[in-house]
PDB file of all heavy atoms in Angstrom:
ATOM      1  N   GLY A 256      92.093  -3.204 120.360  1.00 94.00           N
ATOM      2  CA  GLY A 256      91.127  -2.119 120.522  1.00 94.00           C
ATOM      3  C   GLY A 256      91.780  -0.810 120.907  1.00 94.00           C
ATOM      4  O   GLY A 256      91.409   0.265 120.424  1.00 94.00           O
ATOM      5  N   VAL A 257      92.796  -0.894 121.797  1.00 96.00           N
ATOM      6  CA  VAL A 257      93.511   0.319 122.199  1.00 96.00           C
ATOM      7  C   VAL A 257      94.231   0.926 120.996  1.00 96.00           C
ATOM      8  O   VAL A 257      94.247   2.146 120.810  1.00 96.00           O
ATOM      9  CB  VAL A 257      94.512   0.002 123.335  1.00 96.00           C
ATOM     10  CG1 VAL A 257      95.393   1.216 123.622  1.00 96.00           C
ATOM     11  CG2 VAL A 257      93.763  -0.418 124.606  1.00 96.00           C
ATOM     12  N   GLU A 258      94.833   0.089 120.161  1.00 96.00           N
ATOM     13  CA  GLU A 258      95.557   0.583 118.984  1.00 96.00           C
ATOM     14  C   GLU A 258      94.651   1.345 118.036  1.00 96.00           C
ATOM     15  O   GLU A 258      95.055   2.354 117.453  1.00 96.00           O
ATOM     16  CB  GLU A 258      96.219  -0.589 118.246  1.00 96.00           C
ATOM     17  CG  GLU A 258      97.504  -1.063 118.883  1.00 96.00           C
ATOM     18  CD  GLU A 258      98.130  -2.214 118.149  1.00 96.00           C
ATOM     19  OE1 GLU A 258      97.383  -3.134 117.749  1.00 96.00           O
ATOM     20  OE2 GLU A 258      99.355  -2.218 117.983  1.00 96.00           O
ATOM     21  N   VAL A 259      93.429   0.877 117.878  1.00 95.00           N
ATOM     22  CA  VAL A 259      92.494   1.540 116.970  1.00 95.00           C
ATOM     23  C   VAL A 259      92.164   2.939 117.465  1.00 95.00           C
ATOM     24  O   VAL A 259      92.151   3.910 116.696  1.00 95.00           O
ATOM     25  CB  VAL A 259      91.204   0.695 116.819  1.00 95.00           C
ATOM     26  CG1 VAL A 259      90.113   1.505 116.104  1.00 95.00           C
ATOM     27  CG2 VAL A 259      91.498  -0.586 116.064  1.00 95.00           C
ATOM     28  N   HIS A 260      91.884   3.069 118.749  1.00 94.00           N
ATOM     29  CA  HIS A 260      91.430   4.343 119.294  1.00 94.00           C
ATOM     30  C   HIS A 260      92.565   5.243 119.778  1.00 94.00           C
ATOM     31  O   HIS A 260      92.364   6.456 119.945  1.00 94.00           O
ATOM     32  CB  HIS A 260      90.443   4.086 120.439  1.00 94.00           C
ATOM     33  CG  HIS A 260      89.192   3.386 120.005  1.00 94.00           C
ATOM     34  ND1 HIS A 260      88.191   4.028 119.307  1.00 94.00           N
ATOM     35  CD2 HIS A 260      88.799   2.088 120.154  1.00 94.00           C
ATOM     36  CE1 HIS A 260      87.219   3.162 119.048  1.00 94.00           C
ATOM     37  NE2 HIS A 260      87.562   1.982 119.550  1.00 94.00           N
ATOM     38  N   HIS A 261      93.747   4.654 120.022  1.00 95.00           N
ATOM     39  CA  HIS A 261      94.874   5.445 120.530  1.00 95.00           C
ATOM     40  C   HIS A 261      96.147   5.045 119.774  1.00 95.00           C
ATOM     41  O   HIS A 261      97.055   4.425 120.354  1.00 95.00           O
ATOM     42  CB  HIS A 261      95.048   5.220 122.039  1.00 95.00           C
ATOM     43  CG  HIS A 261      93.815   5.539 122.835  1.00 95.00           C
ATOM     44  ND1 HIS A 261      93.488   6.821 123.230  1.00 95.00           N
ATOM     45  CD2 HIS A 261      92.817   4.724 123.294  1.00 95.00           C
ATOM     46  CE1 HIS A 261      92.357   6.794 123.905  1.00 95.00           C
ATOM     47  NE2 HIS A 261      91.926   5.535 123.964  1.00 95.00           N
ATOM     48  N   PRO A 262      96.232   5.399 118.509  1.00 95.00           N
ATOM     49  CA  PRO A 262      97.382   4.971 117.695  1.00 95.00           C
ATOM     50  C   PRO A 262      98.722   5.465 118.217  1.00 95.00           C
ATOM     51  O   PRO A 262      99.754   4.855 117.938  1.00 95.00           O
ATOM     52  CB  PRO A 262      97.065   5.560 116.311  1.00 95.00           C
ATOM     53  CG  PRO A 262      96.046   6.623 116.555  1.00 95.00           C
ATOM     54  CD  PRO A 262      95.255   6.176 117.733  1.00 95.00           C
ATOM     55  N   HIS A 263      98.711   6.532 119.025  1.00 95.00           N
ATOM     56  CA  HIS A 263      99.975   7.030 119.571  1.00 95.00           C
ATOM     57  C   HIS A 263     100.603   6.053 120.562  1.00 95.00           C
ATOM     58  O   HIS A 263     101.778   6.196 120.922  1.00 95.00           O
ATOM     59  CB  HIS A 263      99.756   8.388 120.261  1.00 95.00           C
ATOM     60  CG  HIS A 263      98.889   8.308 121.477  1.00 95.00           C
ATOM     61  ND1 HIS A 263      97.518   8.167 121.415  1.00 95.00           N
ATOM     62  CD2 HIS A 263      99.211   8.330 122.810  1.00 95.00           C
ATOM     63  CE1 HIS A 263      97.024   8.126 122.651  1.00 95.00           C
ATOM     64  NE2 HIS A 263      98.025   8.224 123.508  1.00 95.00           N
ATOM     65  N   LEU A 264      99.838   5.032 120.997  1.00 96.00           N
ATOM     66  CA  LEU A 264     100.359   4.051 121.948  1.00 96.00           C
ATOM     67  C   LEU A 264     100.905   2.798 121.250  1.00 96.00           C
ATOM     68  O   LEU A 264     101.222   1.817 121.927  1.00 96.00           O
ATOM     69  CB  LEU A 264      99.266   3.637 122.942  1.00 96.00           C
ATOM     70  CG  LEU A 264      98.861   4.696 123.975  1.00 96.00           C
ATOM     71  CD1 LEU A 264      97.702   4.183 124.822  1.00 96.00           C
ATOM     72  CD2 LEU A 264     100.050   5.053 124.875  1.00 96.00           C
ATOM     73  N   ALA A 265     101.033   2.835 119.929  1.00 96.00           N
ATOM     74  CA  ALA A 265     101.482   1.646 119.196  1.00 96.00           C
ATOM     75  C   ALA A 265     102.843   1.160 119.703  1.00 96.00           C
ATOM     76  O   ALA A 265     103.064  -0.044 119.889  1.00 96.00           O
ATOM     77  CB  ALA A 265     101.543   1.937 117.701  1.00 96.00           C
ATOM     78  N   GLY A 266     103.767   2.090 119.936  1.00 96.00           N
ATOM     79  CA  GLY A 266     105.088   1.694 120.420  1.00 96.00           C
ATOM     80  C   GLY A 266     105.032   1.077 121.801  1.00 96.00           C
ATOM     81  O   GLY A 266     105.722   0.085 122.079  1.00 96.00           O
ATOM     82  N   ALA A 267     104.212   1.653 122.679  1.00 97.00           N
ATOM     83  CA  ALA A 267     104.073   1.116 124.029  1.00 97.00           C
ATOM     84  C   ALA A 267     103.471  -0.285 123.991  1.00 97.00           C
ATOM     85  O   ALA A 267     103.923  -1.193 124.720  1.00 97.00           O
ATOM     86  CB  ALA A 267     103.197   2.048 124.868  1.00 97.00           C
ATOM     87  N   LEU A 268     102.469  -0.486 123.140  1.00 97.00           N
ATOM     88  CA  LEU A 268     101.830  -1.792 123.055  1.00 97.00           C
ATOM     89  C   LEU A 268     102.792  -2.838 122.484  1.00 97.00           C
ATOM     90  O   LEU A 268     102.765  -4.000 122.901  1.00 97.00           O
ATOM     91  CB  LEU A 268     100.570  -1.701 122.193  1.00 97.00           C
ATOM     92  CG  LEU A 268      99.453  -0.834 122.792  1.00 97.00           C
ATOM     93  CD1 LEU A 268      98.339  -0.626 121.777  1.00 97.00           C
ATOM     94  CD2 LEU A 268      98.895  -1.475 124.064  1.00 97.00           C
ATOM     95  N   HIS A 269     103.647  -2.414 121.527  1.00 97.00           N
ATOM     96  CA  HIS A 269     104.647  -3.339 121.000  1.00 97.00           C
ATOM     97  C   HIS A 269     105.574  -3.799 122.122  1.00 97.00           C
ATOM     98  O   HIS A 269     105.890  -4.985 122.233  1.00 97.00           O
ATOM     99  CB  HIS A 269     105.461  -2.650 119.897  1.00 97.00           C
ATOM    100  CG  HIS A 269     106.595  -3.493 119.388  1.00 97.00           C
ATOM    101  ND1 HIS A 269     106.399  -4.585 118.557  1.00 97.00           N
ATOM    102  CD2 HIS A 269     107.950  -3.422 119.612  1.00 97.00           C
ATOM    103  CE1 HIS A 269     107.570  -5.143 118.291  1.00 97.00           C
ATOM    104  NE2 HIS A 269     108.520  -4.462 118.914  1.00 97.00           N
ATOM    105  N   ARG A 270     105.991  -2.870 122.978  1.00 97.00           N
ATOM    106  CA  ARG A 270     106.870  -3.254 124.087  1.00 97.00           C
ATOM    107  C   ARG A 270     106.148  -4.176 125.059  1.00 97.00           C
ATOM    108  O   ARG A 270     106.741  -5.146 125.550  1.00 97.00           O
ATOM    109  CB  ARG A 270     107.374  -2.008 124.820  1.00 97.00           C
ATOM    110  CG  ARG A 270     108.238  -2.378 126.024  1.00 97.00           C
ATOM    111  CD  ARG A 270     109.004  -1.244 126.603  1.00 97.00           C
ATOM    112  NE  ARG A 270     109.817  -1.683 127.734  1.00 97.00           N
ATOM    113  CZ  ARG A 270     110.615  -0.900 128.434  1.00 97.00           C
ATOM    114  NH1 ARG A 270     110.726   0.387 128.130  1.00 97.00           N
ATOM    115  NH2 ARG A 270     111.308  -1.377 129.463  1.00 97.00           N
ATOM    116  N   LEU A 271     104.886  -3.901 125.349  1.00 98.00           N
ATOM    117  CA  LEU A 271     104.145  -4.759 126.276  1.00 98.00           C
ATOM    118  C   LEU A 271     104.015  -6.173 125.726  1.00 98.00           C
ATOM    119  O   LEU A 271     104.117  -7.159 126.473  1.00 98.00           O
ATOM    120  CB  LEU A 271     102.765  -4.159 126.560  1.00 98.00           C
ATOM    121  CG  LEU A 271     102.747  -2.846 127.348  1.00 98.00           C
ATOM    122  CD1 LEU A 271     101.324  -2.324 127.488  1.00 98.00           C
ATOM    123  CD2 LEU A 271     103.386  -3.017 128.729  1.00 98.00           C
ATOM    124  N   ARG A 272     103.797  -6.291 124.414  1.00 98.00           N
ATOM    125  CA  ARG A 272     103.717  -7.620 123.810  1.00 98.00           C
ATOM    126  C   ARG A 272     105.060  -8.349 123.925  1.00 98.00           C
ATOM    127  O   ARG A 272     105.099  -9.559 124.191  1.00 98.00           O
ATOM    128  CB  ARG A 272     103.301  -7.508 122.340  1.00 98.00           C
ATOM    129  CG  ARG A 272     101.835  -7.113 122.117  1.00 98.00           C
ATOM    130  CD  ARG A 272     101.483  -7.218 120.641  1.00 98.00           C
ATOM    131  NE  ARG A 272     100.081  -6.926 120.385  1.00 98.00           N
ATOM    132  CZ  ARG A 272      99.634  -5.756 119.937  1.00 98.00           C
ATOM    133  NH1 ARG A 272     100.494  -4.755 119.706  1.00 98.00           N
ATOM    134  NH2 ARG A 272      98.350  -5.566 119.725  1.00 98.00           N
ATOM    135  N   GLU A 273     106.146  -7.621 123.709  1.00 97.00           N
ATOM    136  CA  GLU A 273     107.469  -8.227 123.860  1.00 97.00           C
ATOM    137  C   GLU A 273     107.691  -8.696 125.300  1.00 97.00           C
ATOM    138  O   GLU A 273     108.254  -9.770 125.536  1.00 97.00           O
ATOM    139  CB  GLU A 273     108.554  -7.219 123.464  1.00 97.00           C
ATOM    140  CG  GLU A 273     108.658  -6.971 121.975  1.00 97.00           C
ATOM    141  CD  GLU A 273     109.066  -8.216 121.205  1.00 97.00           C
ATOM    142  OE1 GLU A 273     109.964  -8.947 121.693  1.00 97.00           O
ATOM    143  OE2 GLU A 273     108.475  -8.486 120.150  1.00 97.00           O
ATOM    144  N   GLU A 274     107.230  -7.907 126.254  1.00 97.00           N
ATOM    145  CA  GLU A 274     107.378  -8.290 127.657  1.00 97.00           C
ATOM    146  C   GLU A 274     106.534  -9.521 127.981  1.00 97.00           C
ATOM    147  O   GLU A 274     106.934 -10.354 128.802  1.00 97.00           O
ATOM    148  CB  GLU A 274     107.003  -7.113 128.553  1.00 97.00           C
ATOM    149  CG  GLU A 274     108.015  -5.971 128.497  1.00 97.00           C
ATOM    150  CD  GLU A 274     107.608  -4.771 129.321  1.00 97.00           C
ATOM    151  OE1 GLU A 274     106.503  -4.782 129.903  1.00 97.00           O
ATOM    152  OE2 GLU A 274     108.405  -3.816 129.398  1.00 97.00           O
ATOM    153  N   HIS A 275     105.370  -9.648 127.351  1.00 97.00           N
ATOM    154  CA  HIS A 275     104.571 -10.865 127.527  1.00 97.00           C
ATOM    155  C   HIS A 275     105.379 -12.090 127.108  1.00 97.00           C
ATOM    156  O   HIS A 275     105.337 -13.145 127.771  1.00 97.00           O
ATOM    157  CB  HIS A 275     103.297 -10.792 126.679  1.00 97.00           C
ATOM    158  CG  HIS A 275     102.259  -9.888 127.245  1.00 97.00           C
ATOM    159  ND1 HIS A 275     101.045  -9.661 126.617  1.00 97.00           N
ATOM    160  CD2 HIS A 275     102.230  -9.139 128.386  1.00 97.00           C
ATOM    161  CE1 HIS A 275     100.330  -8.812 127.337  1.00 97.00           C
ATOM    162  NE2 HIS A 275     101.030  -8.487 128.412  1.00 97.00           N
ATOM    163  N   ARG A 276     106.127 -11.977 126.006  1.00 97.00           N
ATOM    164  CA  ARG A 276     106.920 -13.109 125.520  1.00 97.00           C
ATOM    165  C   ARG A 276     108.079 -13.417 126.477  1.00 97.00           C
ATOM    166  O   ARG A 276     108.409 -14.585 126.700  1.00 97.00           O
ATOM    167  CB  ARG A 276     107.423 -12.831 124.104  1.00 97.00           C
ATOM    168  CG  ARG A 276     106.327 -12.943 123.049  1.00 97.00           C
ATOM    169  CD  ARG A 276     106.894 -12.881 121.645  1.00 97.00           C
ATOM    170  NE  ARG A 276     107.049 -11.513 121.188  1.00 97.00           N
ATOM    171  CZ  ARG A 276     106.077 -10.810 120.602  1.00 97.00           C
ATOM    172  NH1 ARG A 276     104.883 -11.345 120.426  1.00 97.00           N
ATOM    173  NH2 ARG A 276     106.301  -9.577 120.199  1.00 97.00           N
ATOM    174  N   VAL A 277     108.681 -12.365 127.033  1.00 97.00           N
ATOM    175  CA  VAL A 277     109.756 -12.577 128.001  1.00 97.00           C
ATOM    176  C   VAL A 277     109.233 -13.303 129.235  1.00 97.00           C
ATOM    177  O   VAL A 277     109.820 -14.286 129.714  1.00 97.00           O
ATOM    178  CB  VAL A 277     110.404 -11.234 128.401  1.00 97.00           C
ATOM    179  CG1 VAL A 277     111.362 -11.428 129.577  1.00 97.00           C
ATOM    180  CG2 VAL A 277     111.143 -10.611 127.221  1.00 97.00           C
ATOM    181  N   VAL A 278     108.098 -12.831 129.757  1.00 97.00           N
ATOM    182  CA  VAL A 278     107.498 -13.462 130.934  1.00 97.00           C
ATOM    183  C   VAL A 278     107.118 -14.908 130.626  1.00 97.00           C
ATOM    184  O   VAL A 278     107.294 -15.804 131.459  1.00 97.00           O
ATOM    185  CB  VAL A 278     106.276 -12.651 131.412  1.00 97.00           C
ATOM    186  CG1 VAL A 278     105.490 -13.422 132.469  1.00 97.00           C
ATOM    187  CG2 VAL A 278     106.710 -11.301 131.967  1.00 97.00           C
ATOM    188  N   ALA A 279     106.614 -15.160 129.415  1.00 96.00           N
ATOM    189  CA  ALA A 279     106.228 -16.521 129.034  1.00 96.00           C
ATOM    190  C   ALA A 279     107.439 -17.450 129.016  1.00 96.00           C
ATOM    191  O   ALA A 279     107.359 -18.611 129.445  1.00 96.00           O
ATOM    192  CB  ALA A 279     105.556 -16.516 127.667  1.00 96.00           C
TER     193      ALA A 279
END
Side-chain angles (χ1 to χ4, degrees):
V257 172
E258 281 180 317
V259 169
H260 297 285
H261 303 277
H263 66 284
L264 289 176
L268 294 171
H269 175 74
R270 177 167 181 179
L271 293 177
R272 288 188 177 100
E273 287 296 318
E274 290 177 357
H275 285 179
R276 286 189 274 274
V277 171
V278 170

